């Protein structure tokens, strides 16, 4: 009885009653888990020389991570997970504009922290694979584990079009699934449906830019690689870095 009473008192003290704080923490945690699984799939593929995974398994990890993240935050914040989706919801007047920069900050922070966690998890593997040098190009580059880079042949204009079409398809697909006036997804299966949508986009539109589609997912880890030792090259368009994993 004493232990149960103590736990109840602890739960009461730790309970967060402010709705905005709850939503921010939900977005932070969900994006953290999303990127943790996504980048780990990429790290396993790259550092094992594709003997313990390939681009399909990396894409699948990212898609399933979406399902987990939506389950974690859907009932609290709506599981936006993506600044582009938050922006679309603001345009549709389904989300207040004043919350937009707060959600974006939480999403980027979650992605940044998650990149740090993946770096720690695969620290030995990354340094072994890279021969002790953190590079953004070349046969042993490791920057593409964390952020997405365009294929060698891709022009800036084609890359821009690629991301507009891919992101638009993602947002339109999610909105269609959530529209109760449409043939909506059965209740409870929304996370699975969104995961399948993401996987479809990845395996059909991933060759140009590796399907970042999510500014927070790309910028947060990219910023981490900048401060962790990869240098300013991670923000430059450089040929020879067309490999890597990027999703949602």
């Amino acid at each position: 009885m004493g232990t149960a009473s103590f736990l109840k008192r602890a739960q009461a003290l730790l309970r967060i009653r402010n709705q905005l704080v709850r939503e921010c923490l939900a977005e932070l945690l969900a994006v953290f888990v999303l990127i943790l699984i996504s980048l780990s799939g990429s790290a396993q593929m790259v550092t094992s020389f594709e003997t313990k995974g390939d681009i399909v398994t990396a894409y699948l990890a990212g898609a399933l991570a979406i399902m987990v993240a939506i389950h974690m935050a859907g009932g609290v914040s709506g599981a936006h997970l993506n600044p582009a989706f938050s922006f679309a919801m603001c345009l549709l007047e389904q989300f207040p504009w004043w919350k937009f920069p707060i959600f974006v900050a939480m999403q980027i922070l979650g992605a940044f922290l998650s990149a740090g966690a993946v770096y720690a998890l695969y620290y030995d593997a990354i340094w072994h694979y890279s021969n002790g040098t953190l590079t953004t190009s070349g046969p042993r580059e490791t920057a593409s584990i964390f952020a997405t880079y365009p294929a060698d042949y891709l022009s800036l204009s084609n890359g821009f079009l690629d991301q507009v079409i891919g992101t638009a398809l993602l947002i339109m697909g999610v909105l269609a699934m959530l529209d109760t006036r449409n043939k909506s997804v059965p209740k409870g299966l929304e996370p699975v449906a969104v995961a399948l949508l993401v996987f479809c986009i990845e395996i059909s539109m991933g060759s140009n830019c590796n399907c970042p589609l999510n500014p927070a997912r790309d910028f947060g880890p990219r910023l981490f690689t900048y401060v962790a030792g990869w240098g300013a090259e991670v923000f430059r368009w450089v040929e020879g870095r067309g490999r890597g994993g990027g999703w949602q």
Side-chain angles (χ1 to χ4, degrees):
M1 292 296 292
T3 302
S5 178
F6 171 77
L7 290 176
K8 287 183 179 179
R9 289 198 298 270
Q11 289 175 354
L13 289 173
L14 295 174
R15 189 184 304 276
I16 299 174
R17 292 179 172 79
N18 184 281
Q19 182 61 26
L20 178 60
V21 175
R22 288 165 57 89
E23 292 175 357
C24 288
L25 290 177
E27 284 291 306
L28 178 66
L29 178 61
V31 172
F32 180 88
V33 171
L34 165 63
I35 307 306
L36 179 66
I37 299 173
S38 298
L39 296 188
S40 292
S42 180
Q44 179 167 289
M45 172 189 71
V46 172
T47 60
S48 70
F49 299 90
E50 298 193 19
T51 60
K52 296 180 180 178
D54 53 26
I55 194 64
V56 175
T57 64
Y59 282 154
L60 184 60
L64 294 177
I66 281 282
M67 180 182 67
V68 177
I70 293 175
H71 275 298
M72 294 185 70
V76 181
S77 66
H80 288 200
L81 310 177
N82 186 337
F85 183 76
S86 297
F87 183 71
M89 297 301 284
C90 288
L91 291 177
L92 295 173
E93 298 184 346
Q94 297 183 27
F95 188 68
W97 282 102
W98 67 269
K99 282 187 179 181
F100 176 69
I102 301 174
F103 266 46
V104 171
M106 290 298 103
Q107 291 158 358
I108 293 176
L109 178 59
F112 180 90
L113 295 175
S114 187
V118 172
Y119 180 65
L121 179 64
Y122 280 92
Y123 180 84
D124 290 344
I126 289 172
W127 283 96
H128 173 73
Y129 174 83
S130 64
N131 289 327
T133 304
L134 301 178
T135 60
T136 58
S137 60
R140 294 295 183 93
E141 63 82 22
T142 47
S144 64
I145 291 174
F146 298 91
T148 56
Y149 295 93
D152 293 342
Y153 57 78
L154 197 68
S155 66
L156 183 61
S157 58
N158 199 178
F160 177 78
L161 179 63
D162 177 270
Q163 288 309 289
V164 169
I165 293 176
T167 304
L169 179 59
L170 172 64
I171 293 174
M172 287 191 298
V174 172
L175 292 177
M177 293 174 185
L178 299 178
D179 189 353
T180 56
R181 298 168 298 179
N182 199 358
K183 189 174 179 60
S184 58
V185 177
K187 187 174 180 59
L189 292 180
E190 297 90 348
V192 177
V194 175
L196 290 174
L197 169 63
V198 170
F199 187 60
C200 287
I201 296 174
E202 289 171 342
I203 61 176
S204 62
M205 301 181 183
S207 61
N208 284 335
C209 297
N210 291 298
C211 286
L213 305 180
N214 184 337
R217 174 262 174 272
D218 194 77
F219 180 71
R222 192 183 300 274
L223 182 61
F224 173 80
T225 56
Y226 171 72
V227 301
W230 277 266
E233 288 295 315
V234 300
F235 288 108
R236 298 194 181 105
W237 188 292
V238 178
E239 293 186 357
R241 300 188 303 192
R243 176 180 58 88
W247 26 81
Q248 334 52 257

